[in-house]
Amino acid sequence: MVFSLEALQAFQGDSLLLHAGGKLCLIDGGPGQTWAKSLRPRLEELRAARVPGGGPLRIDLAMVSHIDDDHIHGLTDMGGAMVELSEDHQPQPYELGGLWHNAFDDVLGNRASELPAAGGPVVASVGQGRLLRDQAVRLGWPRNQPFGALVVAPREVPFGDATLTVVAPAAPALADLDAKWEEVLAKQAVRTHVTEYADRSVFNLSSIVVLAEAGGRSMLLCGDARGDHVLSGLESAGKLPAGGTLALDILKLPHHGSIRNVEADFFTRLPARHYVISANGRDGNPESATLDAIAASRADDEFTIHLTNHDGKDDLAARLDAFVAARDAAGRRFGIEFRAEGSLGLRIDLGDPP
């Protein structure tokens, strides 16, 4: 059966396509450039291949891990294009079976309305979350089924021949976010504290993390969640023994390879055959310390690190070349692969190719 993950060129963000049997799941849409430069072109390729008569491509599930611009913008671009077609009574290129999206308003209720009307990327992302929710309503996309309200862990959801297990966010994490938001409002300095608190993962606390399993294979897609939350979520879902390990086929790293989201035990407890990092050097991601932690966690060389970009910002190429040189000098043989220049993304097939 088909069980594949595509990491599209999403620059500093994430945009993933999960193929499971005949099902297609879109996870995140990347920042502003992504829709035009990689997400829409790739969806059109799939539509041409799967619907030669020119009808809509079925996207069985779209998912927003959380409402940072580098994850949601491409999806609001897609939703906006589809709303415009609907208003013009034009045929739709895509048919969505459902949307998983924890809008900030849904998490925090009316208090989210106390955000200032403008001010910084974090506040803008809250507006993007509201926009996508409104687009989903206008287009009739079923939302957060079968959860009802918020997408909350732990829960297993059938997805054709695959199973999607939501391992985060857990209800206590959302309650913690709720409580900390009260503290922010009490300080009456919303704009400043929201921005500072975002650096301490105010939205990442609500990041949707999914373990996809099919045919004895597995992928863990971490959004921007913190590693300790991922581990505890896997334990709560009965997928990771307490203090034990879970062997994975694919581990999509959290937060674009930032060392702030992982520690050594994250990689020790979640050994994978393939590690996927979507980043372009912005904010120093992927960080060299994260790459070193992956290498140090393994006693063998039977794994590959896949990166969406070799060249990028903040001396990315030089840092990656130094990591490759250190691997070679140590006599290690693990693989390091990059998205091919000019391609829309990279793909890892755990079964038949899509």
Side-chain angles (χ1 to χ4, degrees):
M1 67 170 286
V2 172
F3 195 42
S4 302
L5 181 70
E6 293 188 56
L8 301 181
Q9 165 63 302
F11 309 96
Q12 74 271 19
D14 277 354
S15 186
L16 309 173
L17 292 173
L18 167 63
H19 304 263
K23 298 280 189 178
L24 177 62
C25 179
L26 166 60
I27 302 115
D28 291 333
Q33 305 176 72
T34 310
W35 169 245
K37 293 190 175 181
S38 57
L39 177 53
R40 183 179 181 275
R42 180 56 181 144
L43 292 177
E44 287 302 303
E45 285 183 350
L46 291 170
R47 186 160 76 110
R50 298 183 181 184
V51 195
L57 172 70
R58 173 77 176 183
I59 302 173
D60 298 278
L61 176 65
M63 182 190 316
V64 183
S65 62
H66 62 298
I67 60 168
D68 280 347
D69 179 80
D70 58 351
H71 293 255
I72 195 173
H73 199 135
L75 286 171
T76 60
D77 285 346
M78 181 178 78
M82 294 179 68
V83 167
E84 184 174 344
L85 287 171
S86 177
E87 292 176 344
D88 291 341
H89 305 287
Q90 297 297 311
Q92 293 288 353
Y94 317 115
E95 174 190 354
L96 261 70
L99 173 70
W100 287 1
H101 170 36
N102 286 343
F104 204 55
D105 300 54
D106 297 329
V107 176
L108 295 174
N110 292 332
R111 281 155 299 165
S113 65
E114 299 179 50
L115 278 164
V122 173
V123 172
S125 291
V126 173
Q128 289 171 316
R130 292 168 175 162
L131 174 61
L132 181 61
R133 180 192 56 197
D134 293 344
Q135 290 169 342
V137 171
R138 294 180 69 178
L139 292 166
W141 297 346
R143 186 160 160 261
N144 290 353
Q145 293 183 357
F147 297 87
L150 295 171
V151 178
V152 178
R155 179 138 185 190
E156 289 190 2
V157 179
F159 190 66
D161 295 328
T163 299
L164 305 180
T165 301
V166 177
V167 299
L174 294 177
D176 185 48
L177 178 62
D178 185 278
K180 289 179 178 178
W181 184 254
E182 289 283 6
E183 296 174 9
V184 169
L185 293 178
K187 292 178 181 179
Q188 297 182 348
V190 174
R191 176 175 175 177
T192 299
H193 284 278
V194 169
T195 302
E196 291 176 351
Y197 191 40
D199 293 337
R200 298 193 299 272
S201 299
V202 61
F203 294 147
N204 297 349
L205 282 171
S206 61
S207 195
I208 299 173
V209 179
V210 168
L211 175 68
E213 299 172 285
R217 302 294 190 182
S218 60
M219 310 177 187
L220 182 60
L221 312 175
C222 294
D224 278 5
R226 267 184 16 199
D228 56 340
H229 292 177
V230 175
L231 293 173
S232 62
L234 287 166
E235 289 180 354
S236 297
K239 299 294 184 179
L240 176 67
T245 63
L246 172 63
L248 300 164
D249 290 286
I250 296 177
L251 172 58
K252 163 60 182 61
L253 263 67
H255 210 170
H256 319 294
S258 171
I259 195 63
R260 293 172 297 170
N261 291 67
V262 295
E263 294 185 0
D265 70 323
F266 180 78
F267 296 115
T268 302
R269 297 187 65 191
L270 299 174
R273 292 198 298 133
H274 302 276
Y275 299 87
V276 177
I277 304 175
S278 180
N280 70 346
R282 181 170 168 174
D283 300 321
N285 294 327
E287 294 189 65
S288 297
T290 303
L291 299 172
D292 291 340
I294 295 172
S297 72
R298 305 297 295 267
D300 60 70
D301 293 321
E302 297 177 356
F303 64 93
T304 301
I305 301 173
H306 305 262
L307 301 108
T308 55
N309 289 285
H310 174 269
D311 301 328
K313 302 178 183 299
D314 298 334
D315 299 319
L316 176 64
R319 291 190 289 106
L320 293 176
D321 289 345
F323 178 68
V324 173
R327 175 202 64 175
D328 295 344
R332 300 291 298 273
R333 298 180 304 279
F334 60 83
I336 302 173
E337 296 186 2
F338 301 96
R339 177 185 58 86
E341 185 67 26
S343 65
L344 298 177
L346 61 85
R347 191 182 79 217
I348 302 168
D349 298 321
L350 299 180
D352 299 327

